[in-house]
Amino acid sequence: MMMSQDSQAVAPGEYTQAMSVKPLKRKVRFVHAVLPMALLLVFITFGMIVGPMVFGLASWPLEFTFLLAALCTILMLFSLGADFATVQDAIVKRTSTAVPAILMLMAIGLLIGSWTASGTIPYLVYYGMQLIDPHWLYLIAFVLTSAFSLATGTSWGSAGTIGVVLVAIGAASDANLGMLAAAVISGAYFGDKMSPLSDTTVMASMGARVPIYDHIRSMVNTTGPAYLAAVIVYVVAGIAAPSRGADVESLIRPTVDALGSSFDLSFVVLAPLVVVVIGAIWRKPPLPTLLISSAVAAIIAVAMQGFTFTDMVTALINGVTNDILPNEITNEAGLAIVERGGLYSMASAVLITLTVFMFIGSMDVIDAVGRIVRTVFAGVRSRPATIIASLVSSSVVNLSTSNQYATAFIVGEVFGPKYDEAGIPRKVLSRSIEDYGTAFEPMVPWTTTGVYMVATLGVAYADYVPYMFMQFGILVMAPLLAITGIGCFYKEARRNATAA
């Protein structure tokens, strides 16, 4: 969850221990602890993978899936003799811990809407696209999508806007489209992992219960070296097999002109971004930082971009649309860049968070997570083994659920107590969730990300996966650091334990 730097993370078991749970009429066995998690995996597998792919059914919304799992868990609790008041109390206590993260998600929606209206996001795209050089296309694709997703927190948005343009340029210049698509996807997912505006970053920090900036700094240890290695490879690839010249101007000009004619793109529009950067450097709490940045962006949108107060409120709540732009955009690519954000854009993420915590809260009645950890991972005692187990579990859950939200909450709940017991800071857990979850997801063809990237970029899965150098680097770095103990903050854990 999102907490200030002075906040203390709370172990999942503490909520269960704090409740006055009435004795149940029937004895609780291990199968009762496992059943809710097993049902959840069955629902997700059928509703989101087997149903759509095998039977052609509509995919179940994740909110419905967790709600159904929570309902089944509650019915099981009733069969064990739990009364409604006990179950309700457990759910309320657990769900209340999600409020800081929900507020953060809402702030991100406001931020993206205000940044678009102010011209901050259009500015980054406008000047970023003009840096494209077909002779260094792989490197530029990697760095440019990294910067865009880092600033906006969206990997899909990066791939679906700048990524599409880059692939079009690559096709016109006879580039290796597999390597180019890999560079686009890897760069987009670098920002998705490292941006405080990314919903998966928020969910991973919340699932492990660590402050978001601690989570991001922890990821630098694995993602940083992998990113630099990928940069070197893409540079070498550009030298060894350069793309031939292409008419880049004709490909980017319609989009660039559309943005330039609709927004005042002076350097002043970068002020909201500067606020966020300063807040991160000074380690200020992220929620007020994002709200201040949104306010600055809203002022710029009204004062410089010609938005009326009413339209600015609409942008903050519903996101920017062509209808409220002072100067309408007719270019399809340009429109895809600016139609985004708003409070309601985070409605699904908020509902997923609430239903997930309803599910976990219902399991708290019988301390299901604690029972699973004590039984399944009883033999996992060393620190390296604990970290590697969490890495493998993150990949397995992500492969099974095709959803990083579910991965963050399930793995965070299961391994949080094990990390505490082993004396491993939980920011290593949050990092592990993303290293083998978020970063791994686009490498799997049946995940929603894999399907989206193939459909959006028009490059086959088998063509781009061999060139995802950053992801391969992370897959090596994460267990390597676990084995060596480098970047695992063990000394920090000992200092905290001594201070406590």
Side-chain angles (χ1 to χ4, degrees):
M1 75 177 70
M2 299 299 100
M3 295 176 288
S4 68
Q5 298 298 321
D6 295 327
S7 300
Q8 297 295 319
V10 184
E14 294 181 20
Y15 293 102
T16 306
Q17 296 166 7
M19 295 188 304
S20 300
V21 180
K22 297 179 181 179
L24 303 184
K25 295 178 182 178
R26 290 179 56 193
K27 183 178 180 180
V28 178
R29 303 183 183 278
F30 180 69
V31 67
H32 297 124
V34 173
L35 186 58
M37 201 71 75
L39 284 174
L40 174 66
L41 292 178
V42 169
F43 292 153
I44 290 177
T45 301
F46 177 80
M48 303 179 70
I49 300 175
V50 177
M53 291 187 175
V54 178
F55 300 105
L57 302 175
S59 178
W60 290 3
L62 197 61
E63 303 93 307
F64 170 76
T65 306
F66 273 101
L67 196 60
L68 184 60
L71 176 61
C72 292
T73 304
I74 292 170
L75 292 176
M76 181 194 72
L77 293 173
F78 288 161
S79 73
L80 292 173
D83 58 54
F84 179 75
T86 299
V87 175
Q88 179 178 252
D89 184 49
I91 291 175
V92 169
K93 285 180 181 295
R94 174 64 74 170
T95 305
S96 66
T97 66
V99 172
I102 289 173
L103 293 176
M104 186 67 177
L105 290 170
M106 294 169 67
I108 291 172
L110 293 173
L111 186 85
I112 299 302
S114 63
W115 276 26
T116 303
S118 68
T120 305
I121 291 176
Y123 180 99
L124 296 174
V125 177
Y126 180 89
Y127 286 103
M129 291 182 74
Q130 296 184 63
L131 296 175
I132 297 175
D133 181 346
H135 297 93
W136 298 99
L137 195 56
Y138 308 121
L139 175 64
I140 290 173
F142 186 52
V143 174
L144 197 56
T145 52
S146 298
F148 186 72
S149 59
L150 193 62
T152 63
T154 169
S155 55
W156 285 25
S158 300
T161 52
I162 295 179
V164 171
V165 174
L166 287 162
V167 170
I169 294 172
S173 56
D174 290 335
N176 182 328
L177 294 186
M179 185 180 294
L180 182 58
V184 168
I185 298 169
S186 298
Y189 267 81
F190 170 79
D192 198 303
K193 283 190 67 181
M194 305 300 290
S195 174
L197 310 182
S198 167
D199 54 352
T200 56
T201 305
V202 172
M203 292 300 178
S205 64
M206 181 173 67
R209 303 186 183 282
V210 298
I212 191 167
Y213 289 129
D214 285 358
H215 166 54
I216 292 172
R217 279 189 287 271
S218 178
M219 287 193 291
V220 170
N221 290 276
T222 52
T223 305
Y227 187 89
L228 293 176
V231 166
I232 293 172
V233 174
Y234 289 129
V235 168
V236 172
I239 295 173
S243 303
R244 67 176 176 83
D247 187 6
V248 176
E249 182 72 12
S250 65
L251 293 171
I252 69 170
R253 183 50 54 188
T255 302
V256 168
D257 286 345
L259 296 176
S261 63
S262 296
F263 293 92
D264 179 349
L265 299 179
S266 65
F267 71 92
V268 177
V269 301
L270 292 178
L273 177 60
V274 172
V275 171
V276 172
V277 172
I278 292 175
I281 293 173
W282 290 353
R283 303 189 68 178
K284 297 299 181 183
L287 182 59
T289 300
L290 298 190
L291 292 177
I292 293 171
S293 177
S294 298
V296 172
I299 293 171
I300 292 174
V302 173
M304 290 182 56
Q305 307 298 354
F307 279 80
T308 65
F309 178 80
T310 301
D311 286 344
M312 188 62 240
V313 171
T314 300
L316 291 172
I317 302 302
N318 299 316
V320 175
T321 63
N322 211 15
D323 294 337
I324 64 173
L325 284 174
N327 300 296
E328 288 191 357
I329 293 178
T330 56
N331 175 263
E332 186 176 342
L335 198 58
I337 292 167
V338 301
E339 287 195 324
R340 63 177 66 245
L343 197 61
Y344 281 112
S345 68
M346 290 295 168
S348 179
V350 170
L351 287 174
I352 290 171
T353 302
L354 289 173
T355 54
V356 166
F357 275 70
M358 286 178 60
F359 172 66
I360 296 173
S362 64
M363 292 198 299
D364 280 345
V365 175
I366 57 173
D367 190 23
V369 173
R371 291 173 184 267
I372 292 172
V373 170
R374 289 190 294 270
T375 303
V376 176
F377 298 103
V380 178
R381 300 185 183 279
S382 70
R383 287 168 166 172
T386 300
I387 297 173
I388 292 174
S390 67
L391 289 168
V392 173
S393 298
S394 296
S395 64
V396 170
V397 174
N398 198 287
L399 287 172
S400 303
T401 65
S402 183
N403 190 276
Q404 186 58 19
Y405 287 8
T407 303
F409 289 121
I410 292 172
V411 177
E413 285 298 313
V414 169
F415 280 92
K418 289 294 293 184
Y419 270 65
D420 296 339
E421 180 183 324
I424 309 170
R426 288 200 178 202
K427 57 187 175 182
V428 179
L429 173 59
S430 64
R431 177 179 83 199
S432 300
I433 291 171
E434 293 232 59
D435 283 347
Y436 271 50
T438 305
F440 190 57
E441 190 171 343
M443 301 182 74
V444 182
W446 62 79
T447 63
T448 53
T449 295
V451 173
Y452 172 84
M453 292 302 173
V454 170
T456 301
L457 300 178
V459 179
Y461 163 81
D463 291 339
Y464 74 72
V465 166
Y467 302 105
M468 300 190 73
F469 305 118
M470 186 188 77
Q471 274 78 0
F472 287 122
I474 292 172
L475 292 179
V476 172
M477 287 298 301
L480 181 63
L481 295 191
I483 294 169
T484 62
I486 298 171
C488 292
F489 313 103
Y490 295 149
K491 292 182 179 179
E492 179 180 314
R494 283 194 292 270
R495 286 197 301 269
N496 292 340
T498 302

